Amino acid sequence: MTDAATVLARCAELDEFSARPDGLERVYLSPEHARANGRVADWMRQAGLRTWQDAAGNQCGRHEGRTPGLPALLVGSHLDTVPDAGSYDGMLGVLMAVAVAERLRDRVRELPIALEVIGFGDEEGTRFGTTLLGSRAVAGRWDESWWDLRDRDGLTLRHAFLEFGLDPARVADATRAPDELVGYLEAHIEQGPHLEAAGRALGYVTTIAGARRFSLTVVGEARHAGGTPYPRRRDALVGASEAIVAIEQTARAAGCLATVGRIEVAPGAVNVVPGRVDFSLDLRAITDTHRDATWDAVRGRIDGICSARGLRFEAHELHRAAATPCAAWLQEAVVSGIAATGDAEPPGLWSPAGHDAMALGQTTDVGMLFIRCADGISHHPAEAVDEVDVAQGLDALESAVLAVATRWARR
């Protein structure tokens, strides 16, 4: 039976498929993605699963239930990474799912459901700039406009599909109909500090944050740094700086999460008053209503700042994702799974980070199990988990799968 030590060793083995001089990176439809799919398929077969790679490049495996063709409980996460990544975001959830499938290989034939494991090819959006490509394909939410997306080398998504051996015309074959699925369970590192602060190994997810992303621009006037007195200046960088502070103040007061992660200044000369600043905004909250009200407040403050300084403010929305509540009955299944490990009242957490469950939630019920990660660090090489927590997580996930089967039989 695959134990926690084996799961962690397999995570380390996957790292070897994508190590680079500047850190770990494995992106969608790359040679590293193909190697990871192949190795995960090997582990799936060892667990007794029938395996296939779907039409979007996701790696899949299936145990039949008591009769062939039953609706499946889908369990998994993603195999791609951000640049300079850690070893567990996504990968741990896939390999825990494989391990649970191995544990249940002799029991699943008694269950009223099938059990499937999936390793999504793209959750992070690192290569083509659009997130959840793998899970959105499974959810039947593929957008034909994505074919023209380009990576940093100018290669289109369509061309990458062909190079990977996939047929763009058949991407819809990856779609799973709602009646084919019982639901989706995802085990994932918390990517936050709350479990560690509470001294708890595991938690269940109540909802996944609704997010919006913007490209913001402050336009002033570029002029000579020495020849332009203060009363004549329309300094875009000073205005943008004041706006960024206002973003943080407004979001903190509202209980939302706002991040400015990129800023570009033009013309960018040491002796020129900045005439234009472009910067990003990532805004997340537990509900869409809360998030949108915060954005309205942020925009009002920035409009006021720019008006007072003689600047022009522009905002363009780049991304919007609705908050995804976890289904109550799947929350109960995860809670019962954690309780089976000895924690009778596990903490419920909302997830500010996005997950494949957001896409799957558009076609089936979803639930999530969180595993404690050291200092809450993620998207960083220092990402770390304890073997004892992973062992507890495996037991909880196995029990949760069985609880789902029991509830499904009683529906």
Side-chain angles (χ1 to χ4, degrees), residues 61-147:
R62 179 177 171 103
H63 278 318
E64 295 293 347
R66 63 171 60 134
T67 59
L70 288 170
L73 174 63
L74 194 59
V75 187
S77 193
H78 61 96
L79 292 168
D80 67 315
T81 76
V82 296
D84 199 24
S87 300
Y88 304 107
D89 174 8
M91 287 74 77
L92 181 66
V94 176
L95 299 180
M96 285 178 64
V98 173
V100 167
E102 182 177 10
R103 291 178 174 207
L104 294 175
R105 67 187 301 171
D106 296 327
R107 296 188 61 184
V108 72
R109 295 183 184 91
E110 306 167 6
L111 301 181
I113 61 173
L115 177 62
E116 292 189 15
V117 176
I118 190 162
F120 293 110
D122 178 275
E123 187 255 18
E124 303 289 2
T126 299
R127 183 174 184 185
F128 293 102
T130 295
T131 61
L132 305 173
L133 292 177
S135 48
R136 285 203 270 182
V138 172
R141 303 289 174 156
W142 191 267
D143 188 330
E144 291 295 312
S145 69
W146 294 341
W147 293 120

Side-chain angles (χ1 to χ4, degrees), residues 176-309:
R176 305 299 299 274
D179 61 1
E180 296 179 54
L181 299 175
V182 171
Y184 172 68
L185 284 182
E186 182 169 0
H188 206 284
I189 59 172
E190 182 196 350
Q191 298 181 288
H194 302 292
L195 287 174
E196 186 177 70
R200 314 291 277 276
L202 307 174
Y204 68 97
V205 178
T206 57
T207 190
I208 304 169
R212 293 174 73 177
R213 293 176 184 169
F214 300 88
S215 173
L216 306 181
T217 302
V218 173
V219 180
E221 183 181 33
R223 296 180 62 139
H224 195 290
T228 309
Y230 283 116
R232 298 290 299 275
R233 293 189 179 209
R234 295 169 54 217
D235 190 321
L237 181 54
V238 173
S241 300
E242 193 173 343
I244 291 168
V245 172
I247 287 169
E248 183 188 60
Q249 290 173 342
T250 305
R252 289 186 71 162
C256 294
L257 292 170
T259 303
V260 174
R262 178 188 58 81
I263 184 166
E264 298 177 2
V265 181
V270 297
N271 58 348
V272 178
V273 174
R276 178 187 176 104
V277 176
D278 296 287
F279 56 107
S280 62
L281 173 61
D282 180 297
L283 185 62
R284 306 175 189 227
I286 194 167
T287 68
D288 296 343
T289 300
H290 193 189
R291 175 202 64 196
D292 295 345
T294 302
W295 164 244
D296 290 342
V298 162
R299 175 146 201 169
R301 286 198 64 181
I302 298 177
D303 282 338
I305 290 166
C306 290
S307 177
R309 290 184 170 274

